[in-house]
């Protein structure tokens, strides 16, 4: 608050003028363009005091007096300045100078004073990228040492005497200096700020310092960035971008920094770049600017202390790129190309070629190989074209005077052409080398390599490839069929007529510890085939005999075929593949006894399959050893159980019948009895049919019928209907139709409901043919209990047709009554109705209960079902009565029954009276289940009426 003024009656006391200080000399209250006149120093000081005294107005006297009384109170000066906020800048400068003289350490006073001073020269906001502001119009040049810029600089210097720990003042001063053409002074001021402020506040200074470095550029910027990286090493990438953005880009320095970055495994890019991306940037830089980069670069470390980026005393591009190749194994193609391109740009073509050759001999993937090979071929092609173009221009300019030079040029071109053609010819081999480096145990790739040599007629290299392959491939790790490689090796010598060499190769292959026994067996089989192709029959048999010979010192019974701890040579004796080959050779080249011996050995070793037994039996049969073949079938049956045994029985019995027919009937019967003794029902059908057919053709018909009867009981349920059908047909053909009645009755009793209904229909049709209408009708009535009208409409159509053809009104009505009863049986079960009603409620169907006066639950349920109509879940339910009586006394319209027949109403009265005497039968209570208990008064249930009454009401 300003001090209280004195009473108006008192005269104001004039304040004495303030003392004049040297800092006040910067204030120029009355600037004039005319040069000042020469005055005496005493007169000059008197004039200055008078001009400063004129800046104090009458209203300022209370504040002046308060400041004189309390010169060290910040509050007094702040109130005075607030009072003078609308005054001229010179008046404010006058007050600020006196205030900071008394309070030189006040940050608030200096901040406001400096802001006021700077605002007279600069305007607007700082540019984020440069940190500069706009100049005001009509101001002095910053380069003039007597301009206001120097006065402001002086003010900043005076403020920093005691306020040198405030980063804001330093930032203001440095930013102000950046608007002046004094780069050295600005740089030194930044350095003073860094020395004065604590390390925690250096980040604020460096942000502006780097903007100043960018605006200055040149060597100053480089040195400033080097200093900054010692403070913030993670911003090395920004330094690289600055080096490349200079007017004279410093490619060598940028490469040095990038090399230091990639050599530091702990470096994390602030831009999110991966380590490989940094390597790629380095490769692109050294390849694109190979000429500008000096191999001898700065030897200074980028950082000091424990967090060094790296020390690069010499930028060895070759070593750097090779280090990257060793580090990034999945991107070696690009790095190899970068290394080769480096030497190409340096003019070292031979070194570049060496790099390409080294690359294609070391890359591990086809993708990297394709990248390197394409670059290599393009390099050779470009080199050849360039040489041809140079030679053409030389010939055009010089002529044909120098024959020696022309001959040398032609030789050089031929050499380049030969190199290029050789490179393209080597491509398939180089690709094969890459794949073999990936997996040296890949048998397929070794075979491809052999084929490449054989296609070019290089037999010796193909043999060398085989030798190298067998020395490289580990049999346990082999990928592919290793035995096929050995066979191919032997086949080459066989095709050249060197059978002895081929045998030696097979002999070596037979001693290899293969992964599986089948591979070793394939070697022996191919060896035998080679002997056959060359008509060496005995040698072929001896080879297979040697292959199947039991190992020495080991019991064959103790050898386990799947035991991989035992060598495959010992387990070969139980290889079915070898024995199968052996038995085929013996059948073709050996004797019957030798072939039988081989078959017996297979059976004794317990490696025989069902097909082996069948082949053995077929072989014996072809050589007229019928009984021996039958024994083989029996041994197969004993060895294998069902279901395999059924195939043996079918073959055995069919062969036996085919051989002996009816001559050995009793033996055949014993065989069949033994066959059907323990056969599962699932496989009994064919055996019984064959047995019955045998009796029909060579035995007794009665026995055949007995077999059919046994078959109907022994077979599976799925086959019973077919067996009964066959049984009935055979019985009818041998003993007449009436004889099948007993079979029909057994079938209906034994078959499931669905099959029983089919059998009932056939039985009824039979009785109809025989004229037994009542028996047929009884069968239809019995069968009706299995047939739901909704599911089996065909049955009811047949019965309907039967009654139309053979029945009368009474029987037809009885059929309709039974149909309704059956339908009610399938629809009125308590559990079914409850489930349907519950489902209807869950589906939000409208169910409104109809309350009857007497509370009859049955009538309410029927009314509810009638209202639901098609929405009801109980579709297809046909009630015994269709007339519904409303308890209000009105009769409702009857519901039409689609199962009714139309009877003419023109009958005489006698017929009507007779019809009215028809006995009416109610639906049994058992049909309704538990719902019958809910009826309390049966007299009030709607009346039961017959068909005639319904016809009248419909009329």
């Amino acid at each position: 608050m300003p001090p209280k003024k004195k009473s108006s009656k008192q005269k104001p006391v004039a304040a004495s003028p303030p003392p004049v200080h040297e800092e006040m000399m910067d204030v120029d209250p009355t600037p004039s363009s005319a040069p000042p006149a020469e005055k005496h120093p005493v007169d000059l000081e008197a004039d200055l005091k008078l001009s400063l005294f004129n800046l104090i107005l009458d209203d300022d006297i209370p504040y002046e007096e308060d400041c004189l009384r309390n010169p060290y109170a910040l509050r007094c000066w702040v109130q005075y300045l607030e009072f003078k906020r609308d005054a001229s800048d010179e008046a404010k400068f006058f007050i600020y100078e006196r205030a900071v003289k008394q309070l030189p350490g006040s940050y608030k006073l200096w901040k406001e004073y400096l802001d006021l001073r700077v605002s007279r020269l600069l305007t607007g906001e700082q540019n984020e990228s440069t940190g500069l502001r706009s100049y005001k119009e009509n101001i002095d040049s910053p380069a003039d040492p007597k301009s206001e810029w120097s006065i402001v600089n002086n003010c900043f210097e005076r403020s920093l005497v005691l306020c040198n720990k405030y980063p804001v003042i330093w930032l203001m001063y440095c930013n102000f200096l950046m608007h002046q053409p004094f780069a050295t002074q600005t740089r030194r001021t930044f350095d003073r700020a860094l020395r004065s402020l604590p390390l925690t506040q250096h980040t604020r200074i460096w942000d502006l310092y780097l903007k100043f470095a960018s605006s200055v550029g040149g060597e100053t910027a480089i040195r400033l960035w080097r200093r900054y990286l010692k403070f913030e090493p993670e911003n090395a990438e920004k330094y690289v971008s600055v080096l490349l953005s200079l007017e004279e880009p410093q490619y060598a320095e940028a490469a040095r920094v990038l090399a230091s970055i990639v050599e530091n495994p702990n470096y994390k890019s602030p831009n999110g770049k991966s380590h490989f991306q940094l390597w790629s940037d380095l490769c692109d830089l050294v390849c694109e600017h190979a000429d500008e980069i000096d191999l001898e670069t700065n030897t200074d470390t980028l950082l000091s202390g424990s967090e060094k980026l790296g020390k690069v005393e010499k930028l060895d591009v070759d070593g750097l790129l090779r280090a990257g190749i060793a580090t990034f194994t999945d991107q070696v193609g690009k790095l190899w190309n970068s290394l080769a391109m480096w030497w190409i740009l340096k003019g070292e073509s031979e070194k570049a070629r060496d790099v390409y050759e080294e690359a294609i001999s070391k890359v591990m993937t086809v993708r990297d190989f394709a990248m390197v090979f394409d670059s290599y071929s393009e390099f050779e092609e470009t080199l050849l074209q360039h040489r041809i173009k140079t030679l053409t221009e030389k010939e055009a300019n010089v002529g044909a005077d120098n024959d020696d030079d022309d001959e040398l040029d032609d030789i050089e071109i031929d050499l380049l052409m030969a190199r290029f053609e050789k490179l393209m010819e080597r491509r398939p081999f180089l690709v094969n080398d890459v794949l073999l480096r990936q997996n040296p145990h890949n048998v397929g790739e070794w075979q491809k390599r052999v084929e490449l040599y054989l296609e070019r007629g290089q037999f010796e290299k193909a043999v060398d490839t085989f030798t190298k392959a067998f020395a490289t491939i580990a049999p346990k790790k082999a990928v592919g069929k290793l035995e096929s490689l050995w066979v191919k090796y032997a086949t080459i010598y066989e095709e050249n007529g060197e059978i002895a060499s081929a045998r030696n190769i097979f002999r070596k292959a037979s001693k290899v510890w293969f992964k599986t026994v089948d591979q070793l067996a394939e070697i022996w089989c191919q060896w035998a085939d080679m002997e056959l192709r060359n008509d060496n029959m005995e040698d072929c048999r001896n080879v297979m005999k040697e292959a199947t010979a039991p190992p020495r010192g080991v019991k064959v019974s103790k050898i386990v075929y799947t035991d991989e701890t035992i060598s495959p040579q010992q387990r070969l004796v139980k290889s079915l593949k070898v024995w199968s080959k052996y038995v085929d050779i013996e059948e073709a080249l050996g004797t019957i006894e030798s072939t039988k011996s081989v078959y017996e050995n297979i059976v004794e070793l317990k490696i025989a399959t069902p097909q082996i037994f069948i082949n053995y039996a077929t072989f014996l049969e072809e050589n007229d050893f019928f009984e021996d073949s039958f024994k083989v079938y029996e041994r197969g049956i004993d060895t294998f159980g069902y279901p395999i045994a059924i195939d043996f029985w079918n073959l055995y019995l069919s062969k036996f019948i085919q051989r002996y027919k009816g001559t050995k009937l009793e033996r055949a019967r014993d065989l069949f009895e033994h066959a059907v003794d323990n056969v599962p029902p699932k496989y009994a059908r064919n055996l019984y049919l064959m047995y019955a057919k045998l009796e029909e053709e060579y035995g007794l018909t009665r026995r055949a019928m007995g077999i059919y009867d046994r078959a109907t009981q022994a077979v599976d349920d799925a086959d019973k209907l077919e067996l009964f059908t066959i049984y009935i047909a055979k019985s009818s053909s041998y003993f007449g139709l009436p004889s099948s009645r007993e079979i029909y009755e057994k079938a209906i009793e034994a078959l499931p409901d669905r099959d029983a209904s089919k059998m009932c229909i056939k039985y009824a049709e039979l009785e109809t043919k025989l004229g037994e209408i009542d028996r047929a009708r009884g069968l239809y009535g019995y069968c009706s209990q299995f047939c739901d009208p909704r599911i089996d409409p065909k049955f009811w159509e047949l019965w309907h047709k039967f009654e139309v053809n053979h029945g009368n009104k009474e029987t037809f009505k009885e059929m309709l009554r039974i149909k309704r009863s059956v339908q009610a049986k399938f629809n009125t079960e308590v559990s079914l109705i409850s489930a349907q009603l519950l489902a209807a409620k869950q589906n939000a169907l409208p169910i409104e209960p109809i309350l009857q006066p007497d509370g009859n639950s049955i009538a309410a349920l029927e009314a509810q079902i009638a209202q639901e109509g098609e929405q009801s879940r109980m579709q297809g339910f046909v009630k015994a009565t269709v007339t519904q009586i409303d308890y209000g006394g009105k009769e409702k319209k009857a519901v039409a029954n689609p199962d009714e027949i139309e009877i003419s109403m023109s009958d005489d009265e006698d017929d009507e009276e007779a019809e009215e005497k028809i006995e009416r039968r109610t639906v049994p209570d058992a049909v309704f289940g538990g719902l019958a208990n809910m009826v309390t008064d049966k007299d009030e249930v709607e009346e039961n009426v017959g068909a005639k009454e319904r016809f009248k009401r419909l009329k």
Side-chain angles (χ1 to χ4, degrees):
M1 294 294 294
K4 295 183 179 180
K5 297 183 179 180
K6 295 182 180 180
S7 176
S8 58
K9 295 181 181 180
Q10 298 179 356
K11 294 182 180 181
V13 178
S16 60
V20 180
H21 305 290
E22 295 179 358
E23 292 78 1
M24 296 183 185
M25 300 295 293
D26 294 335
V27 181
D28 188 10
T30 56
S32 175
S33 59
E38 294 292 338
K39 290 186 178 181
H40 192 273
V42 178
D43 296 336
L44 183 60
E45 184 179 358
D47 293 342
L48 180 58
K49 291 182 179 181
L50 182 60
S51 62
L52 294 176
F53 181 76
N54 292 333
L55 293 175
I56 301 175
L57 304 179
D58 294 339
D59 294 337
D60 301 338
I61 293 175
Y63 295 95
E64 287 287 345
E65 292 177 349
D66 192 22
C67 291
L68 289 174
R69 287 193 298 268
N70 302 298
Y72 303 109
L74 178 62
R75 177 182 57 82
C76 299
W77 295 105
V78 171
Q79 291 178 354
Y80 192 6
L81 291 169
E82 179 67 21
F83 175 73
K84 300 288 288 186
R85 63 178 178 273
D86 296 329
S88 62
D89 291 342
E90 288 74 9
K92 294 180 182 178
F93 293 162
F94 176 64
I95 299 173
Y96 273 118
E97 285 291 344
R98 294 159 56 200
V100 297
K101 181 68 175 177
Q102 301 297 329
L103 299 171
S106 175
Y107 167 76
K108 185 174 183 179
L109 290 176
W110 278 114
K111 178 66 171 59
E112 294 177 356
Y113 183 27
L114 295 174
D115 285 339
L116 180 61
R117 281 288 189 180
V118 173
S119 63
R120 285 171 58 88
L121 301 173
L122 302 175
T123 184
E125 298 292 334
Q126 287 188 5
N127 189 306
E128 294 183 0
S129 60
T130 62
L132 300 178
R133 299 169 62 183
S134 301
Y135 294 94
K136 279 195 171 183
E137 298 179 357
N138 302 323
I139 61 174
D140 297 335
S141 173
D144 187 0
K146 295 184 179 181
S147 63
E148 190 173 354
W149 294 86
S150 300
I151 298 175
V152 179
N153 291 343
N154 188 25
C155 290
F156 274 110
E157 290 293 341
R158 289 189 289 116
S159 66
L160 291 173
V161 174
L162 294 179
C163 297
N164 52 27
K165 298 300 181 182
Y166 297 104
V168 175
I169 297 179
W170 281 110
L171 290 173
M172 290 176 60
Y173 188 18
C174 294
N175 181 263
F176 185 72
L177 289 174
M178 288 171 60
H179 294 80
Q180 305 176 43
F182 308 124
T184 303
Q185 181 181 355
T186 305
R187 177 177 56 80
R188 291 176 177 175
T189 304
F190 273 112
D191 294 341
R192 289 166 55 199
L194 292 173
R195 289 194 297 267
S196 300
L197 295 175
L199 187 64
T200 55
Q201 296 181 353
H202 281 197
T203 304
R204 302 175 64 181
I205 302 299
W206 274 113
D207 291 341
L208 187 61
Y209 204 175
L210 294 178
K211 294 178 182 179
F212 166 71
S214 300
S215 62
V216 174
E219 185 66 22
T220 302
I222 296 174
R223 292 182 177 275
L224 292 179
W225 268 97
R226 287 180 183 173
R227 291 174 54 194
Y228 173 65
L229 290 182
K230 296 180 181 180
F231 177 69
E232 293 287 349
E234 64 272 8
N235 290 322
E237 292 181 53
K238 293 183 179 180
Y239 180 33
V240 174
S241 61
V242 170
L243 291 172
L244 297 178
S245 62
L246 295 175
E247 294 182 0
E248 295 181 0
Q250 303 294 318
Y251 298 113
E253 180 71 8
R256 185 181 74 89
V257 176
L258 277 177
S260 302
I261 291 174
V262 297
E263 285 187 351
N264 181 18
N266 298 324
Y267 179 80
K268 293 184 179 180
S269 173
N271 299 327
K273 288 186 178 182
S274 64
H275 211 48
F276 174 71
Q277 289 175 321
L278 296 174
W279 273 99
S280 300
D281 294 343
L282 176 59
C283 295
D284 296 340
L285 181 62
V286 297
C287 292
E288 294 176 3
H289 308 283
D291 296 335
E292 293 87 348
I293 295 178
D294 186 9
L295 295 182
E296 298 294 338
T297 56
N298 199 318
T299 59
D300 295 336
T301 56
L302 295 179
L303 296 178
S304 60
S306 59
E307 297 183 356
K308 294 183 180 180
L309 282 178
K311 182 177 181 180
V312 182
E313 297 181 353
K314 182 179 180 181
L315 188 59
D316 184 6
V317 177
D318 186 274
L320 284 173
L321 294 181
R322 290 181 183 275
I325 292 170
T327 303
F328 304 101
T329 56
D330 58 337
Q331 299 290 341
V332 295
K334 180 178 180 180
L335 296 175
W336 277 115
N337 287 340
S338 299
L339 180 57
M341 185 59 63
W342 161 263
W343 290 114
I344 292 172
L345 294 176
K346 298 295 290 183
E348 299 287 347
S349 299
E350 291 300 326
K351 289 187 177 181
R353 188 177 287 109
D354 293 341
V355 170
Y356 279 126
E357 289 293 337
E358 183 182 359
I360 59 178
S361 64
K362 289 185 177 180
V363 292
M364 298 297 293
T365 63
V366 177
R367 180 178 65 88
D368 293 331
F369 170 79
M371 294 175 62
V372 175
F373 186 84
D374 293 343
S375 179
Y376 190 10
S377 60
E378 184 180 358
F379 162 69
E380 291 289 356
E381 184 178 4
T382 303
L383 200 62
L384 177 61
Q385 292 176 353
H386 176 71
R387 188 57 184 165
I388 293 174
K389 182 179 179 181
T390 303
L391 180 60
T392 304
E393 293 177 354
K394 180 180 178 181
E395 290 178 353
N397 295 332
V398 178
D401 297 336
N402 195 342
D403 295 337
D404 295 337
D405 293 341
D406 294 342
E407 185 177 357
L408 293 175
D409 293 336
D410 293 340
I411 293 174
E412 185 178 359
I413 291 176
D414 292 341
L415 179 61
L416 293 175
M417 181 67 72
R419 281 178 175 173
F420 181 72
E421 292 177 353
K422 183 66 174 178
L423 177 63
M424 302 308 295
E425 184 180 354
R426 291 166 54 203
R427 190 181 192 284
F429 293 95
L430 295 174
V431 174
N432 185 260
D433 286 337
V434 173
L435 296 175
L436 287 177
R437 281 196 294 272
Q438 288 181 358
N439 184 9
H441 309 288
N442 192 334
V443 178
E445 294 303 324
W446 285 108
Q447 289 179 338
K448 290 180 181 179
R449 192 172 187 84
V450 171
E451 293 294 336
L452 290 174
Y453 283 121
L454 293 177
E455 289 175 359
R456 291 162 175 77
Q458 300 176 358
F459 179 78
E460 294 181 357
K461 289 188 176 180
V463 172
D464 293 340
T465 302
F466 277 119
T467 306
K468 185 178 179 181
F470 296 138
T472 303
I473 298 175
K476 292 293 184 180
K477 298 180 180 179
V479 177
K481 299 179 179 180
L482 179 59
E483 69 278 9
S484 63
L485 194 62
W486 281 101
V487 173
K488 182 66 176 178
Y489 190 17
T491 304
I492 292 177
Y493 283 97
E494 180 188 358
E495 292 174 353
N496 291 332
E498 301 180 16
I499 305 300
S501 299
R503 289 195 184 103
N504 292 332
I505 292 172
F506 277 118
R507 179 67 63 184
K508 291 180 181 179
S510 64
K511 298 178 180 179
V512 175
W513 192 315
F514 287 96
K515 187 186 299 184
T516 61
V517 180
D518 285 342
Q519 292 177 325
L520 180 60
E522 182 66 18
I523 294 293
W524 287 100
C525 293
Q526 290 294 332
W527 189 357
D529 290 340
M530 185 198 71
E531 299 293 350
L532 284 176
R533 287 193 297 268
N534 292 275
D535 298 330
N536 299 324
M537 306 305 175
E538 288 300 322
D539 291 338
C540 176
R541 295 179 62 191
N542 292 334
V543 167
M544 297 311 301
K545 184 177 180 180
E546 180 182 356
T548 55
R552 296 180 180 178
V554 181
K555 292 184 178 180
V556 178
S557 59
K558 294 184 178 181
I559 296 176
V560 180
Y561 182 77
T562 57
D563 187 3
E564 295 185 357
T565 59
I566 305 174
S567 66
Q569 283 75 14
Q570 293 180 343
R571 291 181 286 159
L572 184 64
V573 69
K574 288 195 174 183
S575 174
L576 182 61
K577 185 176 184 178
V578 175
W579 282 105
S580 299
K581 186 72 174 180
Y582 190 15
V583 77
D584 292 340
I585 292 174
E586 287 295 333
E587 286 186 19
L589 304 177
T591 62
I592 296 176
E593 294 299 327
S594 65
T595 305
K596 290 174 63 177
S597 176
V598 175
Y599 273 118
E600 290 296 330
N601 288 334
I602 295 175
V603 175
E604 289 178 2
L605 291 172
K606 297 181 180 181
I607 60 174
T609 61
Q611 189 62 45
I612 294 293
F613 279 98
I614 295 173
N615 293 342
Y616 189 12
T618 305
F619 170 75
L620 294 174
E621 182 182 355
E622 291 175 352
N623 291 277
D624 298 334
F625 293 93
F626 297 103
E627 292 298 330
D628 291 341
S629 68
F630 295 153
K631 292 179 180 179
V632 172
Y633 283 124
E634 292 175 358
R635 292 170 66 182
I637 293 171
D638 294 338
T639 303
F640 303 97
Y642 290 97
I644 297 176
I646 191 65
D647 295 327
F648 283 111
W649 276 119
N650 290 332
L651 288 172
Y652 183 16
L653 295 173
S654 62
K655 296 289 184 181
F656 187 88
I657 296 172
Q658 182 181 358
R659 170 67 180 167
Y660 296 109
K661 297 185 179 351
T663 57
K664 295 186 178 182
L665 186 59
E666 290 300 326
R667 181 180 173 184
R669 286 173 178 171
D670 291 340
L671 289 176
F672 274 108
E673 289 295 337
H674 183 63
V676 301
D677 188 16
N678 297 318
V679 63
K682 185 178 180 180
Y683 309 105
R685 174 184 171 277
N686 291 336
L687 293 178
Y688 276 104
L689 291 177
M690 291 175 63
Y691 192 7
K693 184 178 180 181
L694 174 69
E695 291 293 345
E696 289 180 33
E697 293 180 355
Y698 306 107
L700 302 175
T701 304
R702 289 291 179 184
R703 289 184 63 88
M705 294 301 103
I707 293 170
Y708 280 122
D709 185 61
R710 290 168 58 190
T712 57
Q713 301 174 10
V715 298
D716 193 38
D717 290 342
D719 299 326
K720 283 185 178 181
L721 179 61
E722 181 183 1
L723 263 296
F724 272 112
T725 302
I726 296 173
Y727 186 16
I728 291 169
K730 295 293 183 180
S731 177
S732 299
S733 63
Y734 289 129
F735 305 107
L737 292 177
S739 63
S740 61
R741 284 174 174 166
E742 183 179 356
I743 303 174
Y744 273 116
E745 293 174 0
K746 289 182 179 180
I748 294 171
E749 183 178 356
L751 291 173
D753 291 348
R754 181 168 292 278
D755 295 337
S757 63
K758 297 178 182 178
M759 193 59 66
C760 283
I761 293 174
K762 292 181 179 180
Y763 193 11
E765 291 176 352
L766 173 65
E767 295 294 350
T768 303
K769 290 180 182 179
L770 296 176
E772 299 290 343
I773 304 302
D774 291 337
R775 290 176 62 88
R777 183 176 290 110
L779 287 171
Y780 277 118
Y782 177 79
C783 183
S784 63
Q785 63 181 326
F786 307 129
C787 302
D788 187 352
R790 298 171 302 175
I791 300 175
D792 299 316
K794 185 178 180 180
F795 166 78
W796 296 98
E797 291 176 2
L798 292 174
W799 195 3
H800 182 279
K801 186 177 180 181
F802 172 81
E803 293 295 344
V804 170
N805 294 332
H806 305 285
N808 51 34
K809 293 182 180 179
E810 294 181 358
T811 58
F812 192 87
K813 291 177 181 178
E814 182 67 15
M815 183 268 291
L816 294 179
R817 186 193 66 77
I818 293 174
K819 182 178 181 180
R820 288 193 296 270
S821 299
V822 171
Q823 195 165 11
K825 171 188 174 182
F826 284 102
N827 280 321
T828 57
E829 295 181 1
V830 175
S831 60
L832 179 61
I833 292 176
S834 301
Q836 291 173 343
L837 292 177
L838 180 60
K841 291 180 180 180
Q842 292 178 349
N843 294 330
L845 296 177
I847 301 177
E848 298 180 0
I850 302 177
L851 300 177
Q852 306 298 340
D854 58 352
N856 192 315
S857 302
I858 298 296
L861 180 60
E862 291 178 353
Q864 178 177 334
I865 295 172
Q867 283 187 351
E868 291 177 357
E870 295 182 356
Q871 295 179 347
S872 175
R873 294 285 182 176
M874 298 187 294
Q875 297 180 359
F877 177 72
V878 180
K879 298 181 296 183
T881 59
V882 297
T883 302
Q884 299 179 0
I885 304 299
D886 188 1
Y887 288 90
K890 296 181 180 180
E891 181 178 350
K892 294 184 178 180
K893 186 177 180 180
V895 180
N897 190 345
D899 295 327
E900 294 179 351
I901 61 174
E902 295 184 2
I903 301 176
S904 175
M905 303 305 296
S906 62
D907 297 341
D908 53 11
E909 296 297 331
D910 295 337
D911 292 337
E912 292 181 0
E913 293 176 0
E915 292 292 335
E916 291 177 356
K917 295 181 181 179
I918 295 176
E919 183 180 2
R920 301 174 181 175
R921 299 176 63 183
T922 60
V923 178
D925 294 338
V927 173
F928 298 96
L931 294 177
N933 298 329
M934 300 172 62
V935 181
T936 57
D937 189 2
K938 292 186 177 180
D939 295 335
E940 294 181 1
V941 179
E942 60 180 7
E943 61 176 331
N944 298 321
V945 296
K948 184 65 176 180
E949 182 64 20
R950 295 198 303 274
F951 297 154
K952 289 182 179 180
R953 294 179 180 178
L954 287 173
K955 185 177 179 182

